[in-house]
Amino acid sequence: MSTVNPSFQEAIKVTPQGPNKYSAFLQPEWCIGTVPHGGYTTAVIYQLTLTHFAHAHPKQYKSAASPISIQLSFLRRTASGSAIFEVEDVKIGARTSTIHIRLLQPSAKKPGQLDIMVAGYVTVSPPEAEVGISANTGWKPRPAPPAGSRADGSVDLAALGRTGSDGAWRKLEAPFASFRKAAAQIELFGPGSPQKRSGDMGVDQWARFRPAGDVNGRWTEAAVAYLVDMFPMALDRFDTVSAAAVAKESGTSLAGEKANFWYPTVTLNVDMKKHLPAEGAEWLYSRIETKVVRDGRTDLEVTVLDEDGEVIALSTQVGLVVSASRNVGTRKMEKL
């Protein structure tokens, strides 16, 4: 096991069970309500990919091939507990390889049978094959993130982590943490006053990884797969917008409506752009933007940057807005 993030590595552990078949245990500490967090599940699939190529194709590449593209469809609600993965080799190539993955758990409607809960494709590439032109496009987040204390407007992250504030930035407490348990795995920082610069449904955040409260936690590439789906303050805005819409439609007060919603992921795409150092990174910045909420369906676009302002990952997803009552209570899982 890696010496970086040992509890997280245990949480995403994948074990070979036979040719192209693997098992994992989805942990309740990484759930939203009773459903494993989509980013956490994506991190398990990231680890599945590494495990599959190490186990099934150990001589395909000179060094370990890691995911550069992940495309997932969340077909049914997963549950904490045992999960089975099936992998199909779609293409095994010299520069890139693509696999089809399926996550299976016991069916809620067909006792004794398994249902496909998550399906998708993962494309990998080894570092030695990542050759070709690189060009500076000049892209930067626009509008610029809220200012930190430094003369150039950047955030003094050492001060932010030490004191909990720097310039416009403050340490935040994730709302409704008892429901969104997966949000307890990060330390989150954002603008101290209501943010408008990224748009009404835009959020900027700096985050440190704290799996199981580990103060030595670091962002690894597997952890980035979790981060692209972790934005508590953006969900808080969804709560406000959703509650306002319900109150307007029903003619009732907005009070008491917040936190009555769940935002399950339908599809999630991740484009990994830059490798992180083997020891990980302490800080990563995310910009989260939503353009339209319509008919109970949302879009999300996430850009993850490192301290140098270089893009680490891009992600888009389609999500739903549904009642939180669909994600509470006790769900009985069969043993696999």
Side-chain angles (χ1 to χ4, degrees):
M1 182 184 295
S2 169
T3 58
V4 181
N5 305 329
S7 67
F8 179 61
Q9 288 301 122
E10 182 63 29
I12 64 173
K13 181 180 178 181
V14 174
T15 304
Q17 296 295 335
N20 289 24
K21 189 174 182 179
Y22 304 84
S23 66
F25 189 90
L26 305 183
Q27 299 192 2
E29 294 81 7
W30 294 84
C31 284
I32 303 296
T34 61
V35 178
H37 174 251
Y40 163 63
T41 303
T42 304
V44 176
I45 291 169
Y46 187 103
Q47 186 63 38
L48 165 70
T49 304
L50 299 183
T51 303
H52 174 68
F53 276 87
H55 182 71
H57 306 287
K59 298 181 180 180
Q60 179 65 27
Y61 301 113
K62 295 179 181 178
S63 56
S66 59
I68 59 172
S69 175
I70 303 172
Q71 301 165 305
L72 301 177
S73 291
F74 291 77
L75 306 175
R76 299 175 178 87
R77 289 188 302 167
T78 54
S80 59
S82 299
I84 291 294
F85 288 97
E86 295 177 345
V87 178
E88 176 190 357
D89 294 326
V90 179
K91 171 203 169 184
I92 304 299
R95 172 158 185 166
T96 65
S97 294
T98 299
I99 60 174
H100 175 59
I101 67 94
R102 303 194 305 171
L103 187 164
L104 298 96
Q105 287 186 311
S107 172
K109 298 181 179 180
K110 297 173 286 186
Q113 297 186 41
L114 299 178
D115 277 340
I116 303 171
M117 306 302 189
V118 182
Y121 290 88
V122 183
T123 298
V124 306
S125 183
E128 66 269 13
E130 293 282 88
V131 296
I133 66 166
S134 296
N136 185 352
T137 66
W139 180 90
K140 292 182 179 180
R142 293 184 176 88
S149 65
R150 289 178 171 164
D152 62 357
S154 62
V155 178
D156 184 336
L157 294 172
L160 184 62
R162 185 176 64 254
T163 68
S165 66
D166 185 75
W169 294 78
R170 301 289 184 273
K171 186 174 182 180
L172 304 174
E173 295 297 329
F176 310 114
S178 60
F179 179 68
R180 297 170 182 152
K181 296 184 290 293
Q185 313 294 341
I186 64 170
E187 196 172 47
L188 192 66
F189 301 81
S193 58
Q195 185 181 352
K196 299 294 183 183
R197 300 183 67 181
S198 295
D200 289 343
M201 289 296 288
V203 167
D204 292 313
Q205 64 183 37
W206 280 100
R208 295 195 290 192
F209 196 36
R210 294 293 183 261
D214 182 4
V215 296
N216 296 312
R218 293 294 182 269
W219 292 114
T220 59
E221 289 166 32
V224 168
Y226 154 80
L227 178 62
V228 297
D229 193 33
M230 180 46 63
F231 26 74
M233 307 317 293
L235 295 183
D236 193 44
R237 292 195 178 190
F238 274 128
D239 280 340
T240 300
V241 169
S242 301
V246 169
K248 181 179 179 180
E249 183 174 326
S250 62
T252 60
S253 170
L254 179 65
E257 292 291 343
K258 288 186 67 174
N260 284 342
F261 303 95
W262 173 41
Y263 307 97
T265 301
V266 178
T267 63
L268 175 65
N269 300 309
V270 186
D271 178 6
M272 306 294 287
K273 303 298 289 188
K274 178 187 175 183
H275 289 292
L276 291 174
E279 67 274 14
E282 181 177 6
W283 293 92
L284 288 178
Y285 161 92
S286 302
R287 169 160 287 184
I288 304 98
E289 295 179 286
T290 294
K291 298 176 178 63
V292 179
V293 180
R294 180 172 293 136
D295 299 329
R297 181 161 49 87
T298 73
D299 59 87
L300 280 161
E301 182 176 302
V302 180
T303 304
V304 179
L305 309 179
D306 63 12
E307 293 184 44
D308 297 323
E310 295 194 15
V311 177
I312 299 298
L314 305 171
S315 177
T316 59
Q317 66 173 271
V318 174
L320 298 180
V321 183
V322 300
S323 170
S325 64
R326 295 177 61 178
N327 184 1
V328 293
T330 302
R331 298 170 64 195
K332 185 177 180 181
M333 283 295 296
E334 303 174 30
K335 291 184 178 180
L336 295 175

